[in-house]
Amino acid sequence: MTMTTTTSTPTPIHPVIAQVTQRITERSKDLRAAYLARIEQFRGRPTRRGQLSCANQAHANAAAEPKTKIWLNQAQKPNIGIVTAYNDMLSAHQPYATYPDQIKETALRFGATAQVAGGVPAMCDGVTQGRPGMELSLFSRDVIAQATAVALSHDAFDATLCLGICDKIVPGLLIGALAFGHLPTIFIPAGPMGSGLSNKEKAAVRERYAQGKATQEELLAAESAAYHSAGTCTFYGTANSNQMLLEAMGLHLPGASFIHPSSPLRHALTDAAVERVISLTEQGNNYTPIGHVVNEKAIVNAIIALLATGGSTNHTIHWIAVARAAGILIDWQDFDELSAVIPLLSRVYPNGTADVNEFEDAGGPVFVMRELINAGLMHADVKTVYGDQGLAGHTRQPSLVQDHDGDKIEWLELPVESTNKDVVRSVAEPFAPTGGLRLLNGNLGRAMVKASAVPADAWTIRAPAKVFESQDALVKAFKAGQLNMDFVAVVIFQGPQANGMPELHHFTPVLGSLMSAGFKVALVTDGRMSGASGKVPAALHISPEAANGGPLARVQDGDLVELDVHTGVLNVLVPEAEFAARAPRVLRPSGVDGTVDFGRELFINQRRFVTAPERGASTLFID
């Protein structure tokens, strides 16, 4: 692994970014100090195994391979804990089947050992969309964080390698790893599947099917042509947004996100991550615990990366919980103020027609981050897992080259210009002058909207409400021909306390087809829709939610609703006294169909104690 060093005069950080970062730092002062003090308590000790009794070590070493067992029993060499989200149903995680053996072999070559510390659950929102299991989705993030903590609880590891990519899995792994903030940690991605049927064509078939113009066989054929092999889905949803944010936080090796699972470079990057994490241990020469990497500037950089690429709205929830795990407090106002000064530099579906493979080919995360750093729109003076160059070290692309010792990775400079300006652009000529997310405020509460995916002529709507208590009710009304009009779909009781806050993509083809037919429609909900929200203006994550006394529960059919992305306004236009006097709708028993099944009964306490979305929709941090 070859690292190059460059020096240049840094561009001063944008004053708004500096102001928001300082506000976050002041807000988090006491909590962050307590978190860093915990890390210091663990410093300066021998290898973790050196702290274990002989009986402890015997249990931990019993099943190890002979050479590994010798080193483990000596308790002198670094030992890496692997936390994996492998299963072979999720295309993104299926490649991880072979990673532990590769990591173990590589660790031995570099004078260390590695063991699978534990596995974490990994469910797929693509499989559970519109199904009862989707009500477990958001809460699975906190389960993953807890499972990560269980895996690392043996205190037998000197570093961590996290194997995970998709929606809740990366935030959960990251929250869990931050609970062990004294351990150096690197995330190892597996990469996207190759391009298949384009996302635009797939969406068109979905709309035709919703309209009754395509058969189920045609729909399945289209879906299977889009999702066809190992690797992440190729649209820019939460999974691929995860990878962008990890790059911006310096938790990947540079440029690692979107290299295909079968590429020799992918295999080499995994080896390089093992070599690198060993050097970051206390036994190495550059101790870098994850709790020092993930600081206030790194969190701000993650938000900026999300905004500059039009990423998933899920991260306006997830990264609040991630930040809290590192003793840092952020809110939607921070996202909104940063969005006002961060230009949109990429167009990847659903913000455009390209997929993540085209994004990578055009320069990808490396190009975007270089542009932002050079313009003073991202903090460069941060620690990363790559070295002492700060985030500037993450602005070069990995390439596999051959020398007399065999293949090795070199990180090379990208061309000055994007290779495809329809997909990635410079700060000098962005797709839009502001970022992809906006905060909405009004008498219906606070909400987030993904403006980057919505056509400019749909940013403002004033139309009568149609109120639904479930996705199925909206779809049923559409099939009955009751929605051929301008309207605002108000879908309530979809927040975390009501039913776990499932993603609401079951009806997106319906709303999309109505927009295509020329109607002005929008969505207002206390639920969520992720990075695939598409062209429909959607006020998401409304707080307070309807089940917790929120005003959404008092909206009635026919009420005029105003949503304006330009001004950040979200109101129901009903006289204040009349609106306040209304009796709210009452939440039915848990479950979208009034039943308790599919494991939903096991999550009753999560629904009872979960915080609001702007506090991370978390069951872990309730103080």
Side-chain angles (χ1 to χ4, degrees), residues 144-352:
I144 290 163
Q146 292 169 318
T148 302
V150 170
L152 297 176
S153 66
H154 301 97
D155 197 23
F157 306 106
D158 301 283
T160 310
L161 290 175
C162 291
L163 311 184
I165 291 179
C166 288
D167 296 12
K168 289 78 44 197
I169 294 112
V170 162
L173 285 167
L174 185 48
I175 292 168
L178 285 166
F180 292 76
H182 58 285
L183 295 179
T185 302
I186 293 180
F187 280 72
I188 300 180
M193 66 178 68
S195 300
L197 182 72
S198 76
N199 290 293
K200 183 178 180 180
E201 292 175 286
K202 174 197 67 182
V205 176
R206 286 179 176 178
E207 287 191 15
R208 291 203 303 274
Y209 180 75
Q211 297 164 353
K213 298 177 181 178
T215 66
Q216 186 171 5
E217 289 75 15
E218 290 171 326
L219 178 62
L220 179 58
E223 299 284 359
S224 298
Y227 309 117
H228 58 85
S229 65
T232 58
C233 307
T234 61
F235 64 88
Y236 196 56
T238 308
N240 288 318
S241 296
N242 277 333
Q243 306 314 299
M244 182 73 216
L245 270 61
L246 289 177
E247 292 247 5
M249 294 174 74
L251 292 172
H252 276 174
L253 290 185
S257 292
F258 300 129
I259 309 299
H260 288 284
S262 59
S263 167
L265 178 57
R266 168 59 64 207
H267 190 278
L269 282 165
T270 300
D271 282 350
V274 178
E275 178 187 4
R276 186 61 189 162
V277 83
I278 293 169
S279 75
L280 301 180
T281 64
E282 289 185 82
Q283 297 80 30
N285 54 16
N286 187 29
Y287 176 55
T288 308
I290 187 174
H292 289 178
V293 173
V294 180
N295 63 12
E296 296 89 340
K297 289 182 178 180
I299 291 294
V300 169
N301 281 347
I303 297 173
I304 289 168
L306 180 74
L307 297 167
T309 55
S312 170
T313 53
N314 271 327
H315 292 314
T316 65
I317 300 174
H318 291 326
W319 245 251
I320 290 173
V322 166
R324 176 62 179 79
I328 299 166
L329 301 174
I330 60 174
D331 59 29
W332 289 344
Q333 189 67 36
D334 301 325
F335 282 84
D336 190 59
E337 290 184 23
L338 290 170
S339 189
V341 299
I342 300 301
L344 183 67
L345 302 185
S346 69
R347 285 284 189 196
V348 189
Y349 189 86
N351 302 324

Side-chain angles (χ1 to χ4, degrees), residues 416-601:
V416 174
E417 296 290 333
S418 165
T419 59
N420 186 343
K421 292 185 180 181
D422 291 332
V423 180
V424 179
R425 291 186 184 175
S426 68
V427 169
E429 48 178 357
F431 291 102
T434 58
L437 298 173
R438 289 295 308 274
L439 172 65
L440 303 180
N441 265 306
N443 62 11
L444 287 179
R446 289 165 68 86
M448 295 302 295
V449 60
K450 184 174 178 178
S452 60
V454 179
D457 60 359
W459 278 28
T460 301
I461 183 172
R462 181 180 291 190
K466 286 278 194 179
V467 183
F468 304 94
E469 295 188 15
S470 72
Q471 297 187 75
D472 289 337
L474 191 155
V475 174
K476 183 178 179 181
F478 172 76
K479 290 180 177 179
Q482 298 171 0
L483 300 181
N484 295 317
M485 63 187 75
D486 294 350
F487 72 100
V488 175
V490 178
V491 185
I492 66 173
F493 298 137
Q494 304 301 309
Q497 290 190 21
N499 64 354
M501 207 178 190
E503 289 185 352
L504 304 178
H505 289 297
H506 184 48
F507 57 67
T508 52
V510 166
L511 297 182
S513 68
L514 289 168
M515 285 187 72
S516 297
F519 298 111
K520 292 199 71 173
V521 299
L523 172 66
V524 172
T525 182
D526 46 12
R528 62 193 179 99
M529 290 187 73
S530 91
S533 53
K535 64 186 180 181
V536 179
L540 306 173
H541 316 160
I542 290 184
S543 298
E545 64 174 284
N548 192 30
L552 277 185
R554 298 199 301 275
V555 177
Q556 298 178 358
D557 283 353
D559 287 347
L560 204 60
V561 174
E562 176 187 35
L563 188 161
D564 192 330
V565 177
H566 296 284
T567 59
V569 167
L570 178 64
N571 285 318
V572 59
L573 304 180
V574 175
E576 182 178 352
E578 175 188 340
F579 191 67
R582 288 180 181 174
R585 294 178 185 236
V586 178
L587 175 66
R588 294 181 297 166
S590 175
V592 294
D593 52 6
T595 64
V596 178
D597 54 18
F598 276 84
R600 288 178 287 188
E601 66 276 17

